[in-house]
Amino acid sequence: MIEEQQQGIRLQSWLRLLREGGPAGESADALCRYVRACPGVQQAYWLGWQERGRIYAHEGRGPDLPPGQGDPLQASDLALYRALQRRRYLSLEQARELPCWLAGRLRRAGQAHGGLLPLAQPRPGILLVAMAPGADPAWLPELGVLLHSLLAQLPLMAASSPLLNADPQAAIEFEPDATPRALNAAMQRLLGERPLIEVAALLPVNYRQLVSACLGQGRAIGEVEAQVGERILLWQFIPEPAERRVLARCRDATEELTASREAAVATRLYRLITENTTDLISRHTPDGCFLDASPASWVLLGYWPEQLRGQPVQPLLHPRDRALQLRRAGEALARDGYLTLTYRVRHRQGHYLWFETACRAIRETYTGAVVEVVCVSRDITARVQAEENNRRLAEVVKANTDLVLFIDPEGRLTSVNPSGRRALGIEEGGALPALAALMSGEDFARLQRQGWAAAERDGAWTAEARLLPQGGGAALTVSLVLLAHKGAGGQYYFSLVARDMTERELREAQQRRHQDELAHTARLVTLGELASGIAHEINQPLAAVVNYAGASLRYLNGMADNPGALDKVAEGLHRITGHARHAAEVISRLRGFLRKGQRRMQALDMEEVVREAIDFCAWEAARHRITIVPQLAPALPVVYGDPVLLEQVLLNLLRNAIEANRERHPDADSRIRLRVEAEPERLLLRVSDQGPGVGPEQRARLFTPFYTSKADGLGLGLSMSRSIVEGFGGGLDLEPNGSEGATFYCWLPRRPEDGAGNAIAGEQRTGGQ
C-alpha cells in the first residue's frame, strides 16, 4: 500500500513538472524514477528526438547508453522514428533489427529485453525501459496507454500550489492526513535516487502532528529541526486553508546551526575559563579606567569586579611605577598594539604585589585609534622574590672566596666563580676544562665511585682532596662539598664547593706548635713540682753507689787478711752497676719527658705508658699514704698517639687525683684506680680518686683554660690534656660520680690491624713540640 502511494506521488510529480513547464531534464528524471520503481525494471532512459541530428539523445541526469558503432557523423535514427510513428510500442528485440544508430547502442549496452514507448511530451521522444532477464514485459504496452491517457488529460488537471512550483527551496505539499501530494524540483534533487518512501526520513519525526496542528490552528509553524545524517534541515509548515493542504518547505542549516552551536560552546567555555582562571582578565579605556574585570580580581586585589568598574587604575599602582608605566603603556599600545608590563600593585589590605600584565589594544576599524585595552594580569610576587634571592645568591657565589664549580647532569663543568678561576688558573671567558683534569686520579675515581651516588641520595657528599691548577703549580689541598640539586625534569645538577685548606693547615700546624710549646712548659712545671720525688729517686741509687764503693775499698785494703774480700768487692761492683743503671734510667726518663721535637704518632704500648706515668708519681703518692692501683685488661687493642704527650695526660690526671685524695684524707690511707679496658671501637682509660668530688659550678668550667681551684695552679692541665687527646682523635671528660670522688675518662680510637697484627695507619709527623 505504501509503495503504491509512493508511486502515485512520483507520477504526480512528473505530471506537475509537465503541467508547470519545468525543465525538460527534471521532468525526464521524474518519469524515469517512476518507471524504475515498477516491478522487473532494470533501467529506464528518456531519449529526446533531435530533429536536426535525426537521432534520439539522452536527457536528464541518469545513466546513458554507450555510443553506437560506425561513424557518429553518419548516425541516424530516422528509420526508428518512422516506425514509432505507426506504432505505440516496440520491443527492444525489434528495435535492434532496425538500421538505426540506437540499435547499435542497444547491442553495445547488452540491452535486449524490454521495450520502447513513444511519447509526445514533455517533447517528442521515447521512454526506453530495460527489463531484468526473466521479467515479463507484457505490461509495458499498458504503461504506454496509461501515459498517453494521462498526457491527454493533462490540461484538465488541477494545478498544484503556486508556492510549491515557484519555491527555490525543497518543498512538499501534504494532504490533511499528512500524505505527501506533490514535490517540487528542489525536493526531488534533495531526495535524489532514494525511493520516495524515504522522504519521511527528511522530515521531523512529528511531521504528522505538525501538519494537523498547522491546519487546525490556521497558522504557520517554523524552524522545526530534522537531523539527516550529518546534515540539519529546518522545516516550515505553511497552511493553505482553502485547498486543505499544507506546504512544508526546508533549508539546509547545517553550517549555520553547527557554527552557532560551536560559538555557544566556545562562549560558555570562554566564560568558564574567564570566571575560573587565576589570572585577572580586565578591559580598560585608553586612559586606564576599568570597564570590566574577571572574578579573579577578588583573590588578587581584594576587590570584586563591580567595585572596579569605572575606577581608574592609577591609584592601585605603586607611586614609583605609576607615571613611568602608564606613559610606556600608552606609547607602546599606540605604536605596536601590545605590551607586557611588570609593576607593583596595591592590594586592598594595603600591601604591594608584583604583577605581570600582557596588554592588547582594540582599535577602531576605520581610523585605527585605540578604543579599548584588554589586559591579562598575574601575580608574580613569588617569582620576583625568587629571582631576587637567586640574584643575591649569585652575587654571594661570585664574591665567595671558596671555589664554586657548577656541574651538569653529564658531569661537565658549566660555570666557575672568580675565586675558582683564579685558584685553578682558568682564564676569564676561556673554555672550561674537564673535571677530571682538575683532580688527581685517585680523588676523581673516589668522586665517581662514591660522590655522585651519595650526593643524589643524601643531598651532599664531603671529602678531602687535592685540586690541580691549570698550567702547573702547587696542588691545592681542599675540603670538598658536593651538592646535588634536582631539576624540573628529574635530572640532577651538581655544585662543587671547595675550600682551600692550605692556610688552615698552616694555622693548625702553628697552633700545634704553640700547644706543644705550652705542653713542654707544663712538663717543666710538673717536674719542678715533682722535684723532691725526682731527687729522692736519684739520691737513693747515688747513696747506695757511695756506700758500696766505700765498702769495696775497705775490702780491697784488707785483702791480705781476708781471702774472701775479692768476692765482696765483685759483689759491690755489681750492686754499684745496678744502682748506676737505675739512676741512668731515671735521668733518661726525665730527658724523654722533657723532650722537645717533632710529634711522633706511633702504635702505643699502653702498659709501658701507664707504668712510666705511675713511676713519676710514685714517691709523691707514697709520701701522702696514697696507693695507685693499675687495672689493665688483657690483650689491649692497638691505638696510635705520641707516648710522651699521652704520658703527660696521665700524669696530669694522676696528680689531680693525688691532690684530691690528700685534700679529703690528709692523714689517712687512700687509693687511686687507673683502669684500662677495651670497647668495640675504642680504648678507655679511667682515673678514679677518693676526693671530695666536683660540684656543678666547677664541672661547667673544669676544662676552661686558666681555671683552677689550686692557690698556686696555672689552670692549663685539664684543658691542655683534652686538646692533646682530641688531637689523637679521642676525647677527655668527667664522669658523674656523686660525692664519692671523681672519675676522669679518656678514650682513644682503635685502629684496624692487618694480617701480621700491625696497625694499618701511616706514621704522621706534624708540628714541633
Side-chain angles (χ1 to χ4, degrees):
M1 182 68 180
I2 294 177
E3 181 59 31
E4 292 177 359
Q5 290 179 355
Q6 298 295 333
Q7 280 291 76
I9 292 174
R10 291 189 185 99
L11 192 58
Q12 290 178 9
S13 297
W14 172 60
L15 293 173
R16 178 181 55 77
L17 288 172
L18 291 178
R19 183 173 60 251
E20 295 170 358
E26 291 187 6
S27 60
D29 288 339
L31 178 60
C32 290
R33 278 195 298 271
Y34 166 73
V35 175
R36 289 190 198 106
C38 295
V41 175
Q42 190 177 55
Q43 190 56 271
Y45 307 90
W46 173 258
L47 305 176
W49 173 250
Q50 305 291 324
E51 184 65 34
R52 180 174 298 180
R54 296 181 179 272
I55 61 172
Y56 286 101
H58 179 268
E59 295 182 3
R61 293 180 297 173
D64 193 6
L65 292 170
Q69 297 176 346
D71 186 0
L73 297 178
Q74 303 299 323
S76 174
D77 286 325
L78 186 59
L80 177 61
Y81 178 77
R82 290 174 177 173
L84 290 176
Q85 291 291 320
R86 301 186 299 270
R87 305 173 62 176
R88 290 193 175 183
Y89 174 76
L90 192 67
S91 68
L92 294 186
E93 291 87 346
Q94 294 171 337
R96 291 174 63 173
E97 299 298 327
L98 295 174
C100 62
W101 176 255
L102 182 60
R105 297 178 69 186
L106 290 173
R107 286 192 292 272
R108 295 193 66 178
Q111 300 289 356
H113 195 50
L116 299 176
L117 299 174
L119 296 173
Q121 293 188 24
R123 63 184 191 134
I126 56 175
L127 176 64
L128 192 158
V129 182
M131 301 293 293
D136 185 7
W139 56 273
L140 289 179
E142 297 178 1
L143 176 63
V145 173
L146 173 63
L147 295 178
H148 278 283
S149 175
L150 291 173
L151 290 174
Q153 298 178 13
L154 186 62
L156 303 177
M157 293 182 179
S160 59
S161 170
L163 291 176
L164 181 66
N165 302 330
D167 198 342
Q169 294 183 356
I172 305 175
E173 197 172 58
F174 287 101
E175 298 287 356
D177 61 354
T179 301
R181 180 176 181 277
L183 315 176
N184 68 356
M187 190 66 206
Q188 291 286 356
R189 287 192 297 270
L190 181 63
L191 189 61
E193 293 296 324
R194 288 179 293 184
L196 195 58
I197 192 175
E198 293 187 9
V199 72
L202 306 179
L203 294 165
V205 293
N206 61 337
Y207 75 93
R208 295 181 181 278
Q209 291 82 357
L210 292 171
V211 169
S212 177
C214 186
L215 284 174
Q217 299 174 16
R219 64 179 181 86
I221 300 175
E223 302 299 310
V224 182
E225 185 177 317
Q227 186 78 34
V228 183
E230 298 295 327
R231 293 194 298 176
I232 303 174
L233 303 179
L234 286 181
W235 287 87
Q236 281 186 316
F237 292 82
I238 304 171
E240 298 181 58
E243 302 292 334
R244 295 291 297 168
R245 298 173 188 170
V246 172
L247 179 67
R249 58 197 302 269
C250 73
R251 63 185 179 90
D252 190 340
T254 305
E255 293 184 6
E256 174 188 340
L257 292 181
T258 300
S260 174
R261 289 169 184 175
E262 289 177 353
V265 171
T267 300
R268 288 196 298 270
L269 178 61
Y270 294 151
R271 185 177 183 86
L272 184 65
I273 292 173
T274 301
E275 291 179 351
N276 292 278
T277 183
T278 57
D279 292 347
L280 171 60
I281 303 174
S282 56
R283 297 168 49 232
H284 302 265
T285 61
D287 60 354
C289 287
F290 279 94
L291 293 173
D292 203 355
S294 65
S297 62
W298 170 254
V299 177
L300 295 180
L301 297 175
Y303 296 95
W304 289 109
E306 295 80 7
Q307 296 173 295
L308 292 176
R309 291 182 188 130
Q311 299 300 317
V313 73
Q314 290 88 335
L316 296 177
L317 301 182
H318 192 279
R320 295 182 181 178
D321 299 336
R322 191 174 300 160
L324 176 62
Q325 297 292 5
L326 289 177
R327 186 174 65 253
R328 284 185 55 206
E331 294 173 355
L333 290 173
R335 182 181 64 253
D336 304 322
Y338 60 90
L339 176 65
T340 299
L341 296 172
T342 300
Y343 56 95
R344 287 163 291 183
V345 63
R346 183 174 55 81
H347 192 274
R348 188 176 186 179
Q349 296 179 355
H351 60 277
Y352 281 91
L353 303 171
W354 280 99
F355 264 36
E356 181 181 74
T357 299
C359 307
R360 173 72 66 176
I362 308 300
R363 299 182 183 275
E364 203 276 329
T365 305
Y366 300 102
T367 64
V370 177
V371 295
E372 186 177 315
V373 179
V374 177
C375 299
V376 179
S377 306
R378 63 180 52 185
D379 183 355
I380 60 167
T381 305
R383 190 182 80 189
V384 170
Q385 292 175 348
E387 290 174 353
E388 179 63 20
N389 290 338
N390 290 337
R391 184 187 64 80
R392 294 177 184 176
L393 288 174
E395 292 180 356
V396 170
V397 170
K398 186 175 180 180
N400 200 342
T401 57
D402 291 341
L403 289 64
V404 182
L405 298 83
F406 295 104
I407 305 168
D408 65 12
E410 285 72 35
R412 295 188 297 263
L413 285 181
T414 58
S415 181
V416 180
N417 73 337
S419 297
R421 287 183 176 272
R422 287 193 297 270
L424 298 175
I426 302 173
E427 294 182 0
E428 186 67 31
L432 295 175
L435 184 59
L438 298 175
M439 305 179 70
S440 65
E442 179 182 353
D443 290 336
F444 186 72
R446 184 153 49 100
L447 176 68
Q448 295 286 86
R449 186 174 60 254
Q450 303 174 5
W452 307 118
E456 290 182 5
R457 182 182 64 250
D458 305 325
W461 175 74
T462 59
E464 299 288 331
R466 300 178 72 82
L467 294 183
L468 309 176
Q470 298 294 288
L476 302 176
T477 302
V478 296
S479 174
L480 289 182
V481 179
L482 180 65
L483 304 173
H485 320 279
K486 197 169 186 178
Q491 71 276 27
Y492 279 94
Y493 295 85
F494 300 91
S495 301
L496 192 62
V497 181
R499 175 162 292 180
D500 189 352
M501 306 303 291
T502 305
E503 293 185 5
R504 190 190 74 175
E505 289 184 348
L506 292 176
R507 288 195 301 270
E508 288 178 352
Q510 186 178 12
Q511 183 180 1
R512 282 193 294 270
R513 284 196 298 271
H514 293 165
Q515 186 186 69
D516 292 342
E517 292 285 349
L518 189 60
H520 181 255
T521 302
R523 287 198 295 276
L524 291 176
V525 172
T526 300
L527 288 181
E529 294 173 351
L530 297 174
S532 58
I534 294 171
H536 175 75
E537 282 205 47
I538 295 177
N539 284 334
Q540 277 188 332
L542 289 179
V545 167
V546 171
N547 290 334
Y548 284 120
S552 297
L553 286 175
R554 287 194 301 271
Y555 281 121
L556 285 175
N557 292 331
M559 282 184 63
D561 299 327
N562 188 1
L566 187 59
D567 293 334
K568 295 292 185 178
V569 172
E571 182 181 353
L573 291 175
H574 177 72
R575 291 178 180 271
I576 289 172
T577 302
H579 284 286
R581 185 176 294 114
H582 176 68
E585 288 178 357
V586 172
I587 295 172
S588 176
R589 188 167 66 247
L590 289 175
R591 291 183 63 187
F593 189 67
L594 292 174
R595 171 173 57 85
K596 181 180 179 182
Q598 286 186 322
R599 181 180 295 193
R600 295 179 296 181
M601 301 292 289
Q602 62 189 47
L604 298 177
D605 183 351
M606 289 304 301
E607 294 184 8
E608 182 180 354
V609 173
V610 169
R611 179 180 54 77
E612 290 188 357
I614 292 176
D615 287 346
F616 269 117
C617 299
W619 186 86
E620 184 179 7
R623 189 176 64 178
H624 298 292
R625 300 171 63 181
I626 299 171
T627 303
I628 300 176
V629 182
Q631 297 176 341
L632 278 68
L636 293 174
V638 175
V639 293
Y640 268 69
D642 186 297
V644 175
L645 293 178
L646 185 57
E647 185 179 326
Q648 183 176 357
V649 171
L650 290 178
L651 188 58
N652 287 334
L653 297 178
L654 288 172
R655 294 191 69 248
N656 285 344
I658 291 172
E659 291 289 337
N661 279 22
R662 188 181 66 178
E663 180 181 346
R664 186 165 186 181
H665 308 282
D667 298 315
D669 294 336
S670 61
R671 184 173 57 183
I672 295 174
R673 285 181 180 169
L674 197 162
R675 289 173 291 173
V676 183
E677 53 191 358
E679 292 186 350
E681 296 183 355
R682 62 183 185 173
L683 183 71
L684 193 61
L685 296 89
R686 284 187 173 90
V687 177
S688 303
D689 60 47
Q690 294 179 331
V694 180
E697 295 183 1
Q698 288 180 305
R699 180 186 295 273
R701 304 177 59 190
L702 200 58
F703 294 94
T704 304
F706 304 109
Y707 171 74
T708 179
S709 60
K710 303 175 184 177
D712 56 350
L714 295 177
L716 293 174
L718 287 177
S719 64
M720 186 185 308
S721 296
R722 173 178 274 186
S723 298
I724 290 172
V725 176
E726 288 177 349
F728 299 155
L732 175 64
D733 210 339
L734 173 69
E735 283 186 350
N737 217 25
S739 60
E740 290 296 326
T743 299
F744 287 87
Y745 67 96
C746 166
W747 62 269
L748 297 171
R750 296 177 60 167
R751 298 297 177 93
E753 296 183 354
D754 59 17
N758 299 320
I760 304 173
E763 182 176 341
Q764 302 178 7
R765 295 189 178 273
T766 56
Q769 168 176 270

